[in-house]
């Protein structure tokens, strides 16, 4: 007997759209670009083929445009900031792809999505200059979202996690970090031979969780120094951002292909930042669209 997803589990709006995103199944392409900033959706869409826009829908911080780039059908969605929002987006796009909204039952075939997050990031190593395009081969979740789903350990690099927690003296009462890999084929396609690759922390905040200090001190005052110095089987931590771990982890659970690529706009070691980063991000978007 087919499993039925009740209204309390999958909320469908009166117009047949999914609760938060407010888009319907027919609006969703197989290729999806996720961005944090609502305005960045318009930048992505500015590259779409003339007259190809199928939908342009705004709901809260979630802005969705579906269109075509050089004939390729692509959906761009803004997630807002943080893995909590990405938990919403990932579950709702998976539902749009793999649940029949009319019967509330799982479709008999699995529809695999390709998902690329394009964002901004802070570099954690001296050899990562401002403006670098950096692909996350692995995402390190400080957010704890994946622990609420079954099979968390099965898709995580437990050795990396254990070594990291022990090395930096991770706060005892904080969620244990999880480490998940991006889709290798997607990484190789987008990064090609001209983008840097690394391991990226997805922090659950911009200030304390990323080692920034204003008026309240840190539980681990030298956490960024330890993170920069950490090595595991030849891997190092290259950068901070705030969404990639949830996207990578849930994609693995759901059978989708996902990765994150960011433009470095802050250099934490040099204590430098570039606030005029939008032209470089636009260049990154164009590059991803050409390779997607």
């Amino acid at each position: 007997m087919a499993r039925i997803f009740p209204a309390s589990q999958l909320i469908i709006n009166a117009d047949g759209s999914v609760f938060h995103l407010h888009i319907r199944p027919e609006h969703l392409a197989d290729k999806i670009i996720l961005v944090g900033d609502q305005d960045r959706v318009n930048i992505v869409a500015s590259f779409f083929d003339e007259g190809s826009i199928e939908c342009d829908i705004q709901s809260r911080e979630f802005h969705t445009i579906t269109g075509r780039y050089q004939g390729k059908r692509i959906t761009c969605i803004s997630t807002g900031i943080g893995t909590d929002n990405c938990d919403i987006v990932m579950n709702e796009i998976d539902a749009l792809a793999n649940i029949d909204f009319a019967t509330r039952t799982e479709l008999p075939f699995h529809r695999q999505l390709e998902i690329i997050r394009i964002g901004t990031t802070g570099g954690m190593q001296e050899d990562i200059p401002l403006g670098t395009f950096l692909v996350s081969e692995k995402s390190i979740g400080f957010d704890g979202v994946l622990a609420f789903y079954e099979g968390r350990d099965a898709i995580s690099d437990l050795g990396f996690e254990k070594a990291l927690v022990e090395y930096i003296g991770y706060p005892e009462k904080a969620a244990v970090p999880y480490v998940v890999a991006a889709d290798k084929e997607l990484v190789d396609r987008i990064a090609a031979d001209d983008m840097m690759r690394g391991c990226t922390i997805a922090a659950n905040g911009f200030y304390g969780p990323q080692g920034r200090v204003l008026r309240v001190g840190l539980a681990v005052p030298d956490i960024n120094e330890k993170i920069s110095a950490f090595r595991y089987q030849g891997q190092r931590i290259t950068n901070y951002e705030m969404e990639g771990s949830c996207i990578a982890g849930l994609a693995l659970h759901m059978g989708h292909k996902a990765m994150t690529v960011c433009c470095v706009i802050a250099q934490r070691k040099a204590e430098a930042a570039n606030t005029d980063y939008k032209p470089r991000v636009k260049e990154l978007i164009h590059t991803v669209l050409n390779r997607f």
Side-chain angles (χ1 to χ4, degrees), residues 68-85:
R68 293 182 181 272
Y69 176 77
Q70 295 182 354
K72 296 176 290 190
R73 188 169 184 251
I74 295 173
T75 295
C76 184
I77 305 172
S78 63
T79 64
I81 296 174
T83 54
D84 50 347
N85 281 3

Side-chain angles (χ1 to χ4, degrees), residues 16-260:
S17 64
V18 72
F19 185 55
H20 294 92
L21 301 184
H22 265 269
I23 61 175
R24 298 192 300 273
E26 64 266 26
H27 294 144
L28 190 73
D30 290 341
K31 295 179 180 289
I32 299 169
I33 290 175
L34 300 181
V35 295
D37 187 350
Q38 301 170 54
D39 291 339
R40 201 168 291 157
V41 176
N42 292 321
I43 296 174
V44 174
S46 71
F47 290 105
F48 285 176
D49 301 341
E50 186 175 356
S52 72
I53 301 297
E54 300 175 21
C55 70
D56 186 342
I57 298 167
Q58 178 83 44
S59 175
R60 307 185 193 190
E61 60 265 65
F62 308 112
H63 183 196
T64 301
I65 295 180
T66 295
R68 293 182 181 272
Y69 176 77
Q70 295 182 354
K72 296 176 290 190
R73 188 169 184 251
I74 295 173
T75 295
C76 184
I77 305 172
S78 63
T79 64
I81 296 174
T83 54
D84 50 347
N85 281 3
C86 290
D87 176 73
I88 291 172
V89 172
M90 288 298 294
N91 274 282
E92 293 197 356
I93 63 175
D94 179 72
L96 289 162
N98 289 297
I99 295 176
D100 185 327
F101 276 30
T103 63
R104 292 184 168 275
T105 59
E106 189 169 352
L107 291 167
F109 52 87
H110 177 258
R111 178 181 171 193
Q112 185 181 64
L113 305 173
E114 292 186 340
I115 304 160
I116 300 177
R117 162 169 151 69
I118 301 176
T120 55
T121 189
M124 294 295 292
Q125 303 292 340
E126 292 178 353
D127 63 335
I128 303 177
L130 295 174
T132 298
F133 295 163
L134 204 163
V135 170
S136 305
E137 290 187 302
K138 286 190 174 179
S139 289
I140 304 160
F142 278 10
D143 51 275
V145 168
L146 212 61
F148 289 90
Y149 294 90
E150 66 179 1
R152 172 246 192 255
D153 287 359
I155 64 170
S156 301
D157 187 334
L158 301 180
F160 193 123
E161 293 174 14
K162 184 175 185 292
L164 178 62
V165 167
E166 291 176 353
Y167 186 85
I168 67 177
Y170 201 72
E172 184 179 334
K173 294 187 177 181
V176 176
Y178 58 91
V179 181
V180 290
D183 182 82
K184 186 180 186 308
E185 187 279 326
L186 201 54
V187 165
D188 288 343
R189 192 195 322 164
I190 301 302
D193 59 359
D194 58 1
M195 292 188 186
M196 183 175 286
R197 306 183 188 201
C199 301
T200 303
I201 291 173
N204 54 346
F206 184 78
Y207 290 95
Q210 293 189 36
R212 290 185 171 91
V213 182
L214 296 181
R215 293 200 323 110
V216 181
L218 302 176
V220 184
D222 58 347
I223 190 169
N224 279 354
E225 287 77 11
K226 291 180 175 178
I227 285 170
S228 297
F230 173 76
R231 299 291 185 274
Y232 177 74
Q233 295 183 350
Q235 302 167 93
R236 62 177 183 164
I237 296 173
T238 48
N239 57 311
Y240 269 123
E241 52 91 60
M242 295 182 66
E243 289 82 29
S245 59
C246 178
I247 294 168
L250 287 181
L252 279 172
H253 270 319
M254 295 168 174
H256 304 305
K257 301 172 68 170
M259 59 159 285
T260 290

